[in-house]
Amino acid sequence: MNSTVTRYFEAFNAKDTDAMLECLSDDVAHHVNEGKIRIGKALFAEFCTHMSRCYDEALTDMVVFVNADGKRAAAEYIVNGTYLETDAGLPEAHQQTYRLPAGSFFDLEDGKITRVTTYYNLADWMAQVSA
């Protein structure tokens, strides 16, 4: 199952939403750091479109952990980004750059991601883009 998570993050860094979607179950539960849980690939794709418009991000220093039965995984990484377009309710975008530790947690079944939960420190991000 580690390969599914690795492919998911490789697709993220390649800015290939279709390849990310291939790693997900049809009814994937997407738990974002701030906001409601989104169920299904269509809502995940909408989220990715929004994020790509507002942020240009690449993940580095990736470490992936998988439990013994391959049904749960976690990843820790650094988000290296540029704030491209003002996101609703957040500071105004001026092409600010940021570097932010983050983590994701996964449920896996039959080679697909059924849940992805992402966490980062929003206050840290706000301080970086507001400086």
Side-chain angles (χ1 to χ4, degrees):
M1 293 299 176
N2 183 350
S3 62
T4 302
V5 172
T6 300
R7 281 195 325 272
Y8 172 86
F9 284 119
E10 287 171 349
F12 179 93
N13 278 338
K15 301 178 187 346
D16 186 346
T17 300
D18 289 339
M20 290 174 71
L21 292 171
E22 284 298 316
C23 297
L24 306 177
S25 66
D26 289 338
D27 62 348
V28 64
H30 181 212
H31 300 244
V32 295
N33 195 61
E34 301 290 327
K36 297 179 180 177
I37 299 169
R38 294 169 176 86
I39 304 295
K41 285 184 177 183
L43 292 178
F44 185 90
E46 286 177 18
F47 176 81
C48 289
T49 298
H50 167 80
M51 292 297 288
S52 295
R53 187 179 71 248
C54 295
Y55 310 91
D56 180 19
E57 296 180 330
L59 309 179
T60 59
D61 304 312
M62 177 79 55
V63 179
V64 175
F65 307 90
V66 180
N67 75 336
D69 67 9
K71 293 184 179 188
R72 306 268 312 268
E76 185 177 23
Y77 47 88
I78 301 294
V79 180
N80 304 275
T82 302
Y83 188 26
L84 302 173
E85 182 180 306
T86 302
D87 202 346
L90 298 174
E92 192 169 328
H94 300 290
Q95 306 295 305
Q96 304 96 310
T97 59
Y98 51 92
R99 185 170 161 82
L100 190 67
S104 295
F105 304 90
F106 302 90
D107 288 338
L108 299 123
E109 188 176 316
D110 298 324
K112 298 287 185 178
I113 296 168
T114 60
R115 175 188 60 92
V116 57
T117 303
T118 302
Y119 290 106
Y120 57 89
N121 186 323
L122 181 61
D124 182 6
W125 180 85
M126 297 272 285
Q128 289 185 52
V129 300
S130 297

